[in-house]
Short mmCIF file of all heavy atoms in Angstrom, two decimals:
data_model
loop_
_atom_site.label_atom_id
_atom_site.label_comp_id
_atom_site.label_asym_id
_atom_site.label_seq_id
_atom_site.Cartn_x
_atom_site.Cartn_y
_atom_site.Cartn_z
N PRO A 1124 -15.12 -4.50 1.35
CA PRO A 1124 -14.91 -5.92 1.86
C PRO A 1124 -14.09 -5.91 3.13
O PRO A 1124 -13.37 -4.90 3.39
CB PRO A 1124 -14.21 -6.58 0.67
CG PRO A 1124 -13.55 -5.43 0.06
CD PRO A 1124 -14.44 -4.26 0.17
N SER A 1125 -14.16 -6.93 3.86
CA SER A 1125 -13.38 -7.12 5.08
C SER A 1125 -11.94 -7.36 4.68
O SER A 1125 -11.61 -8.47 4.22
CB SER A 1125 -13.90 -8.18 5.99
OG SER A 1125 -15.17 -7.88 6.40
N PRO A 1126 -10.97 -6.45 4.75
CA PRO A 1126 -9.64 -6.73 4.29
C PRO A 1126 -8.90 -7.55 5.31
O PRO A 1126 -9.26 -7.60 6.51
CB PRO A 1126 -9.06 -5.39 4.19
CG PRO A 1126 -9.81 -4.52 5.13
CD PRO A 1126 -11.15 -5.08 5.16
N SER A 1127 -7.90 -8.38 4.97
CA SER A 1127 -7.14 -9.00 5.87
C SER A 1127 -6.16 -8.05 6.51
O SER A 1127 -5.46 -7.39 5.76
CB SER A 1127 -6.38 -10.15 5.09
OG SER A 1127 -5.56 -9.66 4.09
N PRO A 1128 -6.07 -7.96 7.82
CA PRO A 1128 -5.21 -7.01 8.47
C PRO A 1128 -3.76 -7.39 8.30
O PRO A 1128 -3.45 -8.61 8.22
CB PRO A 1128 -5.63 -7.03 9.91
CG PRO A 1128 -6.29 -8.42 10.13
CD PRO A 1128 -6.87 -8.75 8.78
N THR A 1129 -2.92 -6.49 8.33
CA THR A 1129 -1.47 -6.65 8.37
C THR A 1129 -1.02 -6.31 9.72
O THR A 1129 -1.59 -5.38 10.43
CB THR A 1129 -0.77 -5.82 7.35
OG1 THR A 1129 -0.98 -4.49 7.61
CG2 THR A 1129 -1.16 -6.17 5.91
N GLY A 1130 -0.05 -6.84 10.26
CA GLY A 1130 0.46 -6.62 11.56
C GLY A 1130 0.93 -5.26 11.84
O GLY A 1130 1.18 -4.47 10.92
N ALA A 1131 0.91 -4.86 13.11
CA ALA A 1131 1.31 -3.46 13.42
C ALA A 1131 2.81 -3.24 12.90
O ALA A 1131 3.59 -4.15 12.98
CB ALA A 1131 1.28 -3.29 14.89
N ARG A 1132 3.02 -1.93 12.49
CA ARG A 1132 4.44 -1.68 12.00
C ARG A 1132 4.76 -2.47 10.74
O ARG A 1132 5.90 -2.52 10.52
CB ARG A 1132 5.46 -1.84 13.09
CG ARG A 1132 5.24 -0.86 14.24
CD ARG A 1132 5.86 0.44 13.84
NE ARG A 1132 5.70 1.29 14.99
CZ ARG A 1132 5.56 2.56 14.81
NH1 ARG A 1132 5.69 3.11 13.65
NH2 ARG A 1132 5.43 3.41 15.84
N ALA A 1133 3.89 -3.00 9.97
CA ALA A 1133 4.16 -3.70 8.79
C ALA A 1133 4.14 -2.79 7.66
O ALA A 1133 3.36 -1.92 7.51
CB ALA A 1133 3.19 -4.88 8.57
N SER A 1134 5.12 -3.04 6.68
CA SER A 1134 4.96 -2.27 5.39
C SER A 1134 4.12 -3.12 4.55
O SER A 1134 4.19 -4.32 4.52
CB SER A 1134 6.32 -2.15 4.80
OG SER A 1134 7.08 -1.20 5.52
N VAL A 1135 3.32 -2.48 3.73
CA VAL A 1135 2.33 -3.16 2.97
C VAL A 1135 2.43 -2.65 1.50
O VAL A 1135 2.80 -1.57 1.26
CB VAL A 1135 0.88 -2.85 3.42
CG1 VAL A 1135 -0.04 -3.87 2.89
CG2 VAL A 1135 0.84 -2.80 4.85
N ARG A 1136 2.24 -3.57 0.55
CA ARG A 1136 2.33 -3.17 -0.93
C ARG A 1136 1.14 -3.79 -1.68
O ARG A 1136 0.68 -4.78 -1.23
CB ARG A 1136 3.67 -3.50 -1.47
CG ARG A 1136 3.84 -4.97 -1.70
CD ARG A 1136 5.12 -5.25 -2.36
NE ARG A 1136 5.25 -6.72 -2.34
CZ ARG A 1136 5.85 -7.35 -3.28
NH1 ARG A 1136 6.44 -6.79 -4.34
NH2 ARG A 1136 5.97 -8.71 -3.25
N PRO A 1137 0.80 -3.22 -2.79
CA PRO A 1137 -0.34 -3.77 -3.45
C PRO A 1137 -0.01 -5.08 -4.10
O PRO A 1137 1.17 -5.18 -4.51
CB PRO A 1137 -0.74 -2.66 -4.50
CG PRO A 1137 0.50 -1.81 -4.60
CD PRO A 1137 1.26 -1.96 -3.30
N SER A 1138 -0.93 -5.89 -4.39
CA SER A 1138 -0.72 -7.10 -5.11
C SER A 1138 -0.48 -6.74 -6.52
O SER A 1138 -0.93 -5.71 -6.99
CB SER A 1138 -1.89 -8.04 -4.94
OG SER A 1138 -3.09 -7.50 -5.43
N PRO A 1139 0.13 -7.64 -7.33
CA PRO A 1139 0.40 -7.29 -8.69
C PRO A 1139 -0.77 -6.98 -9.52
O PRO A 1139 -0.72 -6.10 -10.39
CB PRO A 1139 1.14 -8.49 -9.28
CG PRO A 1139 1.66 -9.19 -8.09
CD PRO A 1139 0.67 -8.92 -6.92
N ARG A 1140 -1.90 -7.65 -9.37
CA ARG A 1140 -3.14 -7.40 -10.12
C ARG A 1140 -4.31 -7.28 -9.15
O ARG A 1140 -5.08 -8.27 -9.10
CB ARG A 1140 -3.40 -8.48 -11.11
CG ARG A 1140 -2.37 -8.48 -12.22
CD ARG A 1140 -2.74 -9.51 -13.27
NE ARG A 1140 -1.69 -9.61 -14.17
CZ ARG A 1140 -0.97 -10.72 -14.37
NH1 ARG A 1140 -1.13 -11.78 -13.69
NH2 ARG A 1140 0.02 -10.72 -15.20
N PRO A 1141 -4.46 -6.18 -8.42
CA PRO A 1141 -5.60 -6.12 -7.50
C PRO A 1141 -6.92 -6.07 -8.37
O PRO A 1141 -6.99 -5.46 -9.43
CB PRO A 1141 -5.39 -4.83 -6.83
CG PRO A 1141 -4.54 -4.04 -7.66
CD PRO A 1141 -3.72 -4.98 -8.44
N THR A 1142 -8.00 -6.71 -7.82
CA THR A 1142 -9.24 -6.71 -8.48
C THR A 1142 -10.15 -5.62 -7.80
O THR A 1142 -9.91 -5.31 -6.60
CB THR A 1142 -9.94 -8.12 -8.38
OG1 THR A 1142 -10.06 -8.49 -7.01
CG2 THR A 1142 -9.12 -9.03 -9.16
N ALA A 1143 -11.10 -5.07 -8.46
CA ALA A 1143 -11.86 -4.00 -7.95
C ALA A 1143 -12.61 -4.54 -6.69
O ALA A 1143 -13.16 -5.49 -6.66
CB ALA A 1143 -12.96 -3.64 -8.94
N GLY A 1144 -12.42 -3.64 -5.60
CA GLY A 1144 -13.09 -3.89 -4.40
C GLY A 1144 -12.52 -4.98 -3.52
O GLY A 1144 -13.10 -5.37 -2.54
N THR A 1145 -11.32 -5.44 -3.80
CA THR A 1145 -10.74 -6.45 -2.96
C THR A 1145 -9.49 -5.87 -2.21
O THR A 1145 -8.97 -4.89 -2.65
CB THR A 1145 -10.28 -7.70 -3.76
OG1 THR A 1145 -9.28 -7.21 -4.78
CG2 THR A 1145 -11.37 -8.34 -4.47
N PRO A 1146 -9.13 -6.45 -1.10
CA PRO A 1146 -7.92 -5.88 -0.40
C PRO A 1146 -6.75 -5.96 -1.25
O PRO A 1146 -6.54 -6.99 -1.88
CB PRO A 1146 -7.88 -6.79 0.87
CG PRO A 1146 -8.99 -7.64 0.85
CD PRO A 1146 -9.72 -7.59 -0.45
N ALA A 1147 -5.90 -4.97 -1.23
CA ALA A 1147 -4.71 -4.99 -2.09
C ALA A 1147 -3.45 -5.15 -1.30
O ALA A 1147 -2.39 -5.34 -1.87
CB ALA A 1147 -4.74 -3.69 -2.86
N GLY A 1148 -3.47 -5.09 0.08
CA GLY A 1148 -2.28 -5.06 0.81
C GLY A 1148 -1.83 -6.41 1.18
O GLY A 1148 -2.60 -7.30 1.58
N THR A 1149 -0.55 -6.67 1.03
CA THR A 1149 0.11 -7.86 1.49
C THR A 1149 1.40 -7.51 2.18
O THR A 1149 2.08 -6.56 1.65
CB THR A 1149 0.34 -8.93 0.39
OG1 THR A 1149 1.16 -8.24 -0.55
CG2 THR A 1149 -0.91 -9.36 -0.27
N PRO A 1150 1.88 -8.14 3.20
CA PRO A 1150 3.09 -7.77 3.84
C PRO A 1150 4.26 -7.97 2.86
O PRO A 1150 4.26 -8.83 2.10
CB PRO A 1150 3.29 -8.74 4.99
CG PRO A 1150 1.95 -9.24 5.24
CD PRO A 1150 1.21 -9.20 3.95
N GLY A 1151 5.21 -7.01 2.89
CA GLY A 1151 6.34 -7.10 2.03
C GLY A 1151 7.02 -5.80 1.96
O GLY A 1151 6.72 -4.83 2.68
N PRO A 1152 8.07 -5.66 1.11
CA PRO A 1152 8.92 -4.56 1.03
C PRO A 1152 8.09 -3.36 0.33
O PRO A 1152 7.02 -3.56 -0.26
CB PRO A 1152 10.10 -4.94 0.16
CG PRO A 1152 9.58 -6.16 -0.63
CD PRO A 1152 8.54 -6.81 0.25
N ARG A 1153 8.70 -2.18 0.39
CA ARG A 1153 8.01 -1.04 -0.14
C ARG A 1153 7.88 -1.21 -1.70
O ARG A 1153 8.79 -1.64 -2.32
CB ARG A 1153 8.79 0.20 0.10
CG ARG A 1153 8.64 0.59 1.51
CD ARG A 1153 9.50 1.93 1.73
NE ARG A 1153 9.31 2.26 3.14
CZ ARG A 1153 8.93 3.45 3.51
NH1 ARG A 1153 8.62 4.38 2.65
NH2 ARG A 1153 8.70 3.66 4.83
N ALA A 1154 6.82 -0.76 -2.28
CA ALA A 1154 6.64 -0.81 -3.69
C ALA A 1154 7.40 0.43 -4.33
O ALA A 1154 7.56 1.48 -3.64
CB ALA A 1154 5.13 -0.76 -4.06
N THR A 1155 7.72 0.29 -5.58
CA THR A 1155 8.29 1.45 -6.26
C THR A 1155 7.26 2.37 -6.79
O THR A 1155 6.16 1.90 -7.19
CB THR A 1155 9.17 0.95 -7.38
OG1 THR A 1155 8.40 0.16 -8.25
CG2 THR A 1155 10.40 0.11 -6.91
N PRO A 1156 7.49 3.69 -6.75
CA PRO A 1156 6.53 4.62 -7.15
C PRO A 1156 6.42 4.55 -8.71
O PRO A 1156 7.22 4.11 -9.46
CB PRO A 1156 6.98 5.99 -6.73
CG PRO A 1156 8.48 5.75 -6.65
CD PRO A 1156 8.69 4.37 -6.21
N THR A 1157 5.28 5.10 -9.23
CA THR A 1157 5.09 5.20 -10.67
C THR A 1157 6.05 6.14 -11.28
O THR A 1157 6.43 7.10 -10.57
CB THR A 1157 3.57 5.62 -10.87
OG1 THR A 1157 3.30 6.83 -10.30
CG2 THR A 1157 2.60 4.59 -10.47
N PRO A 1158 6.46 6.03 -12.51
CA PRO A 1158 7.46 6.91 -13.01
C PRO A 1158 7.03 8.44 -12.98
O PRO A 1158 7.86 9.23 -12.80
CB PRO A 1158 7.62 6.41 -14.50
CG PRO A 1158 7.02 5.09 -14.52
CD PRO A 1158 6.03 5.00 -13.46
N ASP A 1159 5.82 8.70 -13.23
CA ASP A 1159 5.40 10.11 -13.26
C ASP A 1159 4.84 10.54 -11.91
O ASP A 1159 4.32 11.67 -11.80
CB ASP A 1159 4.32 10.33 -14.31
CG ASP A 1159 3.05 9.55 -14.08
OD1 ASP A 1159 3.08 8.52 -13.40
OD2 ASP A 1159 2.00 9.99 -14.59
N GLY A 1160 4.89 9.74 -10.93
CA GLY A 1160 4.33 10.02 -9.63
C GLY A 1160 5.20 10.71 -8.62
O GLY A 1160 6.44 10.52 -8.66
N GLN A 1161 4.60 11.54 -7.80
CA GLN A 1161 5.34 12.16 -6.72
C GLN A 1161 4.91 11.33 -5.40
O GLN A 1161 3.77 11.09 -5.12
CB GLN A 1161 4.86 13.59 -6.42
CG GLN A 1161 5.40 14.57 -7.31
CD GLN A 1161 5.10 16.00 -6.84
OE1 GLN A 1161 3.93 16.24 -6.36
NE2 GLN A 1161 6.04 16.86 -6.87
N VAL A 1162 5.99 10.87 -4.71
CA VAL A 1162 5.70 10.12 -3.55
C VAL A 1162 5.41 11.11 -2.40
O VAL A 1162 6.22 12.01 -2.14
CB VAL A 1162 6.92 9.26 -3.20
CG1 VAL A 1162 6.69 8.50 -1.84
CG2 VAL A 1162 7.25 8.26 -4.23
N ARG A 1163 4.28 10.97 -1.71
CA ARG A 1163 3.91 11.78 -0.64
C ARG A 1163 3.52 10.96 0.59
O ARG A 1163 2.86 9.95 0.50
CB ARG A 1163 2.65 12.61 -1.11
CG ARG A 1163 2.97 13.52 -2.16
CD ARG A 1163 1.86 14.51 -2.36
NE ARG A 1163 2.30 15.45 -3.43
CZ ARG A 1163 2.06 16.72 -3.39
NH1 ARG A 1163 1.38 17.25 -2.51
NH2 ARG A 1163 2.46 17.49 -4.43
N THR A 1164 4.00 11.41 1.75
CA THR A 1164 3.69 10.75 3.02
C THR A 1164 2.69 11.55 3.79
O THR A 1164 2.89 12.73 4.02
CB THR A 1164 5.01 10.55 3.81
OG1 THR A 1164 5.90 9.77 3.00
CG2 THR A 1164 4.70 9.77 5.10
N TYR A 1165 1.68 10.85 4.23
CA TYR A 1165 0.66 11.48 5.06
C TYR A 1165 0.75 10.97 6.47
O TYR A 1165 0.52 9.81 6.70
CB TYR A 1165 -0.79 11.11 4.44
CG TYR A 1165 -0.95 11.62 3.07
CD1 TYR A 1165 -0.54 10.85 1.97
CD2 TYR A 1165 -1.50 12.88 2.83
CE1 TYR A 1165 -0.65 11.35 0.75
CE2 TYR A 1165 -1.64 13.34 1.51
CZ TYR A 1165 -1.21 12.58 0.45
OH TYR A 1165 -1.30 13.04 -0.82
N THR A 1166 1.16 11.85 7.35
CA THR A 1166 1.24 11.54 8.78
C THR A 1166 -0.09 11.75 9.45
O THR A 1166 -0.56 12.88 9.49
CB THR A 1166 2.40 12.27 9.48
OG1 THR A 1166 3.64 12.09 8.76
CG2 THR A 1166 2.51 11.89 10.96
N VAL A 1167 -0.70 10.72 9.98
CA VAL A 1167 -1.96 10.83 10.46
C VAL A 1167 -1.90 10.37 12.07
O VAL A 1167 -0.94 9.90 12.47
CB VAL A 1167 -3.06 9.90 9.75
CG1 VAL A 1167 -3.33 10.51 8.41
CG2 VAL A 1167 -2.55 8.51 9.65
N ARG A 1168 -3.01 10.50 12.75
CA ARG A 1168 -3.04 10.32 14.13
C ARG A 1168 -2.63 8.74 14.42
O ARG A 1168 -1.96 8.42 15.46
CB ARG A 1168 -4.41 10.43 14.71
CG ARG A 1168 -4.38 10.52 16.24
CD ARG A 1168 -5.73 10.84 16.88
NE ARG A 1168 -6.45 11.86 16.11
CZ ARG A 1168 -7.72 12.04 16.24
NH1 ARG A 1168 -8.45 11.34 17.05
NH2 ARG A 1168 -8.41 12.96 15.55
#
């Protein structure tokens, strides 16, 4: 689907209940990681 863009340099977090195939990002503070998850940062071009 055509997601709604977030502005440049914006932090984005998933909505509380994303539905399949819909955009999940909304401007806001960083989300907390899952308890068993490792937080990994991917630096891309």
Side-chain angles (χ1 to χ4, degrees):
S1125 298
S1127 57
T1129 60
R1132 294 275 179 210
S1134 289
V1135 200
R1136 68 179 174 146
S1138 60
R1140 290 187 189 115
T1142 57
T1145 60
T1149 57
R1153 289 178 179 236
T1155 55
T1157 57
D1159 64 335
Q1161 280 190 321
V1162 177
R1163 296 193 177 216
T1164 299
Y1165 299 86
T1166 302
V1167 293
R1168 195 179 319 164

